[in-house]
C-alpha cells in the first residue's frame, strides 16, 4: 500500500499550485510513502517522520483528506494511532495531507529535500539523511560516503516509469535473449526519448543500478541509452545492453501504482489491439488530469476574485415567488453595493441568515434568471434571445451582474448556457457536434433548417431555395443560391450559428458587460475559459450517489454504546434513500419522486455544489424518536447540519418520511 503525503500549515483548502511549489522547496511537498499492511502505529509514525524530518518539530500532527470541493477535513485518529491495516481498512490511501497541531514547521528551503512529487528517497549511509534517489550520487560525492562496490538491486518484474503523465509508445522489441516484447512507456509532458528497458533471461535475474553517466544520449539511439529531457537538463535512464545481464538506473517511480503493464499474448490480443487499449486508458487519465487542473485553477482564481467582499452586510427582504423582481429592486436602490454581504430575510419566515438563506437565495435567483426573458432554448442548452426592448432596458447587463454577484458571495454561477455558445463567446471554436437543429425552440426556424438539411440531390435544391432562399439570404447566408447538394450541411451550420450567436451579439456583449461590472469577472473568464466553463455550462454538474456521500460525515456514538446500532440502522436507510434519489425511484402514494438536487437543497439551501465548495462537510447527527410523534429530520443549513431519527430500520418508512419532509417544507421553519 502506498500513500502520497504533503505537510501543510493551518489551512482549510488544498494548497494552490504556488503553495505546493513552496512546500516542495522546503521539503514538505508530496512524497510517496510505502506502508506495509502489518505496520504498527509507531512504524507508521516513523515512516512519515523519516519522509518529513521536520515533523519532529510539530508537536503532533493530524491526517486530512480533500473532499469534492477541494476543502480539507480531518480524518479521525483511532486510539493508539493508525496501523497499516487501519489505513487500508479505512480507505486512507492515495493522497493525504498532514497538518501540524502545536507548532508551525520550519519553512527554510532545503537543498536535500527539494524533489519532484513522487521521487523515491534513499538514506545516505554517511549522514543518514533521506536523499532523492536521482540526486544520491551527487550527494555522496560531497558527503564523503565511500560507495565501495555495492549496487542497488531492483526486482526485474517491477517496470520503471517516469514521474510524469504517461503516454504509451508503439511496442518495441526489448533487447533480451528471449526476444521478449515489452511495451515502452514515455512521459507525455516531458517527452521521454526512446526509453526502452532490457529484460533478464530468467525470472530470477535482477537489474543492477549502474553509476549514471554524464554523457547525453545520442540522437540516433544507437548505443542503447535513453535520456529524460526535463527543463534543458538530461537525466540518464542508463538502459545499457550487456552480454548475459541487463542494467538500468532506478531513478523513476513504479508504474504499478497507476496501470498494469501486461505482456502481449498473441493468442488474446494483437499488438495493435493492445496498443489501442493502453492508449485509450491513458487518454482517460489525461482527461481526468485536465479536469482536475481546471478545477484547481478555478479555485485559485475565484479565491482572488472573492477577496473584494466587504464585511458589512446589507439586509434584503425576498419573496420566494418574486426572487428576481425583489433582487432587481434591491440592486436599483441608491447606495447598493454588490460587494457587501447580503443578509437574506425570506418574507414570512423565521430564520437568521448565517449562510443557509443566502445560499438558497442565490440558488433560486440563478434558477429563475431566465424569467427575465433574456434566454431561450432547452435546459442546459440556452442561448440569448434577440430582444431590442430588453436590451434597451439593460436586462442583459442586469442578468450578468446577478451571476457575478452570486459567484462573488459563494453561490453558483449560471451553468445553463449552450456549450457551443460559450466556446464562441470566449473566442474559441464550438465542438464538432456544435449547435443542432433540435436545440432551436423557434418552430419556423427549425422547419426551414430541416428543409435545407433534407436535400439529397441537386433536383431537391430548386424547390428548397424557392421556399427558404430569401429567408436564408436575409440571415446572411447568400451562398444558398449557389450551393450544391454536398454543401447543404455547411449552410445549415452557418444558419445555426447566425440564429444562436451572430444575431444576438449585442445582447451577449451587454451580458458580458454586466459580468465585468462586478470586479471584472468576464475579464477573468477570458484569461482562462476552460477553467471557468463549469460556471456557465452544465458540463460537470451532475450529482451522483458517490458525490453526495462524500459531502456528509456522521457524528456517531462510540462503538459499543447503546445508541450505536440504532444509528447504524438509520445510516443504512439514509444511504439507501440517496441511492433511490439517484435512480428517481422515491415516488410515494402522496408525493412524486425526488432527485439528489432537491435533497442537497434541503440540506444546504443550494441545489448544486458551489464553485468554491461548502465551508465544511455536512454533519449528520441523530436524535431519539419520541413516542406518538412523527420524527421529521431537522436541518440547519447555516451550520450545514442534518439531524436524523435514530433507530429507523425500514427503508420504505424512512423514504416516506424524507419525501414528505422535503416536498412539504416551503421555507425555513415551515415544515
Amino acid at each position: 500500500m502506498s500513500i502520497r503525503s504533503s505537510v501543510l500549515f493551518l489551512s482549510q483548502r488544498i494548497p494552490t499550485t504556488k503553495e505546493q511549489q513552496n512546500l516542495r522547496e522546503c521539503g514538505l511537498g508530496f512524497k510517496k510513502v510505502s506502508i506495509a499492511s502489518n505496520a504498527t502505529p509507531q512504524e507508521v509514525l516513523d515512516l512519515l517522520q523519516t519522509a518529513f524530518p521536520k515533523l519532529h518539530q510539530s508537536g503532533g500532527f493530524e491526517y486530512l483528506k480533500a473532499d469534492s470541493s477541494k476543502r480539507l477535513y480531518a480524518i479521525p485518529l483511532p486510539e493508539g494511532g493508525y496501523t497499516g491495516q487501519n489505513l487500508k481498512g479505512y480507505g486512507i490511501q492515495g493522497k493525504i495531507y498532514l497538518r501540524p497541531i502545536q507548532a508551525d514547521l520550519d519553512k527554510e528551503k532545503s537543498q536535500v529535500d527539494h524533489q519532484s512529487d513522487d521521487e523515491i528517497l534513499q538514506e545516505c549511509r554517511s549522514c543518514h539523511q533521506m536523499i532523492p534517489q536521482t540526486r544520491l550520487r551527487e550527494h555522496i560525492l560531497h558527503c564523503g560516503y565511500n560507495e565501495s562496490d555495492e549496487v542497488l538491486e531492483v526486482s526485474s518484474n517491477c517496470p520503471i516509469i517516469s514521474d510524469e503523465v504517461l503516454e504509451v509508445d508503439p511496442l518495441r522489441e526489448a533487447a533480451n535473449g528471449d526476444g521478449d516484447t515489452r511495451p515502452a512507456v514515455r512521459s507525455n509532458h516531458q517527452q521521454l526519448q526512446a526509453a526502452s528497458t532490457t529484460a533478464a533471461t530468467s525470472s530470477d535475474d535482477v537489474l543492477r543500478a549502474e553509476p549514471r553517466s554524464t554523457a547525453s544520449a545520442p540522437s540516433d539511439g544507437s548505443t542503447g541509452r535513453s535520456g529524460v529531457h526535463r527543463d534543458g537538463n538530461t537525466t540518464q535512464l542508463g538502459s545499457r545492453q550487456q552480454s548475459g545481464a541487463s542494467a538500468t538506473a532506478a531513478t523513476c517511480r513504479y508504474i504499478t501504482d497507476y496501470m498494469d503493464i501486461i505482456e502481449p499474448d498473441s493468442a488474446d490480443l494483437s499488438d495493435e489491439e493492445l496498443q489501442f487499449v493502453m492508449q485509450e486508458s491513458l487518454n482517460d487519465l489525461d482527461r481526468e488530469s485536465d479536469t482536475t487542473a481546471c478545477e484547481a485553477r478555478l479555485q485559485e482564481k475565484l479565491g482572488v476574485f472573492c477577496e473584494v467582499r466587504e464585511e458589512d452586510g446589507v439586509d434584503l427582504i425576498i419573496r420566494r415567488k418574486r426572487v428576481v423582481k425583489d433582487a432587481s429592486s434591491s440592486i436599483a436602490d441608491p447606495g447598493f453595493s454588490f460587494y457587501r454581504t447580503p443578509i437574506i430575510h425570506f418574507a414570512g419566515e423565521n430564520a437568521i441568515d448565517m449562510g443557509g438563506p443566502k445560499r438558497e437565495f442565490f440558488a433560486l435567483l440563478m434558477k429563475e434568471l431566465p424569467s427575465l426573458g433574456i434566454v431561450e432554448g432547452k435546459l442546459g442548452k440556452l442561448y440569448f434571445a434577440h430582444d431590442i426592448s430588453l436590451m434597451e432596458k439593460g436586462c442583459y447587463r442586469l442578468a450578468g451582474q446577478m451571476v457575478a454577484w452570486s459567484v462573488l458571495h459563494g453561490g453558483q454561477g449560471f451553468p445553463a448556457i449552450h456549450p457551443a455558445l460559450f466556446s464562441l463567446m470566449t473566442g474559441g471554436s464550438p465542438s464538432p457536434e456544435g449547435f443542432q437543429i433540435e436545440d432551436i425552440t423557434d418552430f419556423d426556424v427549425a422547419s426551414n433548417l430541416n428543409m435545407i438539411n433534407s436535400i439529397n440531390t441537386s433536383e431537391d435544391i430548386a424547390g428548397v431555395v424557392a421556399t427558404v432562399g430569401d429567408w436564408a439570404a436575409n440571415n446572411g447566408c447568400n451562398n444558398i443560391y449557389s450551393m450544391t447538394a454536398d454543401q447543404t450541411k455547411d449552410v445549415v451550420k452557418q444558419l445555426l450559428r447566425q440564429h444562436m450567436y451572430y444575431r444576438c451579439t449585442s445582447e451577449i456583449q451587454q451580458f458580458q458587460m454586466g459580468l465585468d461590472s462586478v470586479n471584472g469577472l468576464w475579464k477573468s473568464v477570458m484569461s482562462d475559459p476552460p477553467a471557468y466553463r463549469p460556471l456557465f455550462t452544465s458540463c460537470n454538474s451532475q450529482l451522483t450517489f458517490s458525490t453526495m456521500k462524500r459531502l456528509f460525515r456522521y457524528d456517531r456514538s462510540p462503538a459499543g454504546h447503546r445508541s450505536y446500532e440504532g444509528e447504524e440502522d438509520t445510516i443504512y436507510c439514509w444511504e439507501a434513500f440517496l441511492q433511490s434519489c439517484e435512480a428517481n425511484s422515491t415516488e410515494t402514494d402522496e408525493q412524486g419522486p425526488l432527485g439528489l438536487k432537491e435533497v442537497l437543497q434541503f440540506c444546504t439551501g443550494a441545489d448544486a455544489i458551489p464553485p468554491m465548495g461548502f465551508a465544511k462537510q455536512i454533519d449528520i447527527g441523530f436524535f431519539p424518536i419520541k413516542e406518538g410523534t412523527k420524527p421529521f429530520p431537522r436541518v440547519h443549513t447555516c451550520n450545514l447540519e442534518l439531524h436524523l431519527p435514530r433507530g429507523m430500520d425500514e427503508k420504505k418508512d424512512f423514504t416516506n418520511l424524507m419525501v414528505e419532509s422535503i416536498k412539504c417544507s416551503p421555507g425555513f421553519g415551515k415544515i
Side-chain angles (χ1 to χ4, degrees), residues 97-109:
Y97 299 84
L98 308 177
R99 183 164 61 189
I101 294 177
Q102 297 191 64
D104 281 347
L105 306 185
D106 180 12
K107 290 187 179 180
E108 289 294 324
K109 293 185 179 180

Side-chain angles (χ1 to χ4, degrees), residues 358-666:
K358 180 179 67 176
R359 276 194 298 271
E360 185 163 1
F361 163 68
F362 282 122
L364 292 172
L365 183 62
M366 294 299 99
K367 183 179 180 180
E368 297 299 325
L369 199 60
S371 67
L372 282 172
I374 63 166
V375 291
E376 57 184 284
K378 297 181 179 179
L379 186 65
K381 293 186 176 181
L382 298 179
Y383 53 97
F384 290 90
H386 180 46
D387 193 316
I388 297 175
S389 176
L390 291 178
M391 189 170 62
E392 290 179 344
K393 293 178 182 178
C395 291
Y396 297 90
R397 184 175 189 273
L398 176 63
Q401 289 176 325
M402 288 179 173
V403 173
W405 187 28
S406 174
V407 174
L408 180 64
H409 294 285
Q412 62 190 82
F414 185 53
I417 294 176
H418 198 298
L421 176 58
F422 178 78
S423 295
L424 290 171
M425 289 171 60
T426 53
S429 300
S431 55
E433 59 272 13
F435 299 117
Q436 302 295 325
I437 297 176
E438 53 266 27
D439 298 336
I440 295 178
T441 53
D442 187 309
F443 177 78
D444 292 335
V445 173
S447 297
N448 291 342
L449 290 172
N450 278 319
M451 191 179 300
I452 300 172
N453 200 45
S454 66
I455 294 175
N456 293 316
T457 65
S458 56
E459 288 75 16
D460 299 332
I461 296 177
V464 171
V465 170
T467 305
V468 301
D470 291 344
W471 169 82
N474 289 335
N475 280 278
C477 190
N478 294 308
N479 58 341
I480 190 170
Y481 297 113
S482 59
M483 73 176 178
T484 60
D486 58 355
Q487 293 174 336
T488 55
K489 305 299 181 185
D490 293 334
V491 170
V492 170
K493 289 181 180 179
Q494 290 174 4
L495 290 169
L496 281 169
R497 288 195 293 271
Q498 156 63 17
H499 182 77
M500 303 180 77
Y501 176 63
Y502 294 120
R503 75 185 179 105
C504 50
T505 51
S506 295
E507 288 84 350
I508 292 173
Q509 288 172 1
Q510 192 180 97
F511 176 76
Q512 293 168 340
M513 288 171 59
L515 291 169
D516 240 358
S517 67
V518 182
N519 199 27
L521 179 58
W522 187 250
K523 289 187 178 68
S524 186
V525 172
M526 290 300 294
S527 71
D528 194 351
Y532 281 93
R533 178 174 286 269
L535 287 186
F536 297 94
T537 69
S538 58
C539 52
N540 295 313
S541 60
Q542 186 67 34
L543 286 173
T544 65
F545 167 71
S546 298
T547 303
M548 286 287 288
K549 191 175 177 181
R550 288 195 295 269
L551 293 176
F552 295 87
R553 63 175 295 275
Y554 300 110
D555 185 10
R556 299 189 62 178
S557 302
H561 192 276
R562 65 177 182 272
S563 299
Y564 188 84
E565 290 187 5
E567 293 168 358
E568 188 170 353
D569 291 337
T570 299
I571 291 172
Y572 164 73
C573 291
W574 162 254
E575 295 186 356
F577 167 69
L578 290 180
Q579 280 188 322
S580 300
C581 291
E582 183 180 36
N584 284 319
S585 59
T586 59
E587 189 168 1
T588 66
D589 295 336
E590 295 80 15
Q591 303 291 341
L594 277 177
L596 290 174
K597 291 180 68 173
E598 293 170 284
V599 178
L600 182 64
Q601 186 161 12
F602 176 74
C603 296
T604 67
D607 62 356
I609 300 173
M612 292 289 287
F614 296 110
K616 68 180 186 67
Q617 283 184 292
I618 305 164
D619 293 313
I620 294 183
F622 305 90
F623 63 88
I625 301 174
K626 294 183 179 180
E627 188 174 352
T629 63
K630 206 164 189 177
F632 288 113
R634 306 165 187 169
V635 174
H636 302 280
T637 58
C638 295
N639 296 331
L640 295 175
E641 295 178 3
L642 170 65
H643 296 269
L644 300 174
R646 182 186 295 116
M648 293 200 71
D649 56 3
E650 290 293 334
K651 291 192 295 183
K652 184 176 181 180
D653 292 343
F654 184 87
T655 296
N656 290 340
L657 184 71
M658 292 300 301
V659 171
E660 183 179 357
S661 300
I662 296 173
K663 290 284 189 180
C664 300
S665 56

Side-chain angles (χ1 to χ4, degrees), residues 74-94:
I75 305 169
L77 187 68
E79 186 175 353
Y82 275 119
T83 64
Q85 192 62 39
N86 288 148
L87 289 169
K88 186 175 181 180
Y90 282 108
I92 305 175
Q93 303 179 48

Side-chain angles (χ1 to χ4, degrees), residues 56 67 88 90 118 151 156 158 207 213 219 225 236 243-244 273 294 367 378 496 500 515 638 654:
H56 290 283
D67 59 21
K88 186 175 181 180
Y90 282 108
D118 297 297
V151 294
S156 61
C158 294
L207 303 177
S213 171
S219 58
R225 295 182 187 271
Q236 298 295 334
S243 58
E273 291 172 326
C294 285
K367 183 179 180 180
K378 297 181 179 179
L496 281 169
M500 303 180 77
L515 291 169
C638 295
F654 184 87

Side-chain angles (χ1 to χ4, degrees), residues 207-367:
L207 303 177
R208 297 186 178 274
E210 301 251 345
R212 188 172 56 186
S213 171
T214 58
S216 299
S219 58
D220 61 359
S222 58
T223 65
R225 295 182 187 271
S226 301
V228 180
H229 298 279
R230 182 176 297 127
D231 298 330
N233 296 324
T234 302
T235 301
Q236 298 295 334
L237 292 184
S239 173
R240 182 183 302 175
Q241 299 177 6
Q242 295 180 349
S243 58
S246 301
T248 186
T251 61
C252 301
R253 67 184 168 128
Y254 297 111
I255 194 172
T256 49
D257 288 338
Y258 294 89
M259 59 185 294
D260 294 326
I261 296 295
I262 58 174
E263 298 194 19
D265 187 344
S266 58
D268 296 330
L269 290 174
S270 66
D271 288 355
E272 293 77 9
E273 291 172 326
L274 178 62
Q275 176 65 22
F276 175 77
V277 171
M278 296 174 69
Q279 187 63 57
E280 283 298 301
S281 298
L282 292 170
N283 288 342
D284 290 340
L285 180 63
D286 283 342
R287 283 190 289 268
E288 182 179 345
S289 176
D290 290 343
T291 300
T292 303
C294 285
E295 289 176 353
R297 295 202 306 273
L298 179 61
Q299 295 281 335
E300 185 173 358
K301 290 176 181 293
L302 288 182
V304 175
F305 173 73
C306 294
E307 288 177 353
V308 298
R309 286 186 301 206
E310 299 173 1
E311 294 183 2
D312 292 341
V314 54
D315 293 286
L316 305 179
I317 301 175
I318 303 294
R319 293 170 293 180
R320 287 182 177 273
K321 294 186 178 181
R322 300 285 189 275
V323 172
V324 174
K325 182 177 180 179
D326 294 343
S328 302
S329 298
S330 298
I331 293 172
D333 286 343
F336 175 84
S337 171
F338 289 107
Y339 304 107
R340 295 174 64 186
T341 301
I343 301 172
I344 304 301
H345 304 274
F346 284 109
E349 300 179 22
N350 296 320
I352 299 175
D353 187 4
M354 299 295 289
K358 180 179 67 176
R359 276 194 298 271
E360 185 163 1
F361 163 68
F362 282 122
L364 292 172
L365 183 62
M366 294 299 99
K367 183 179 180 180

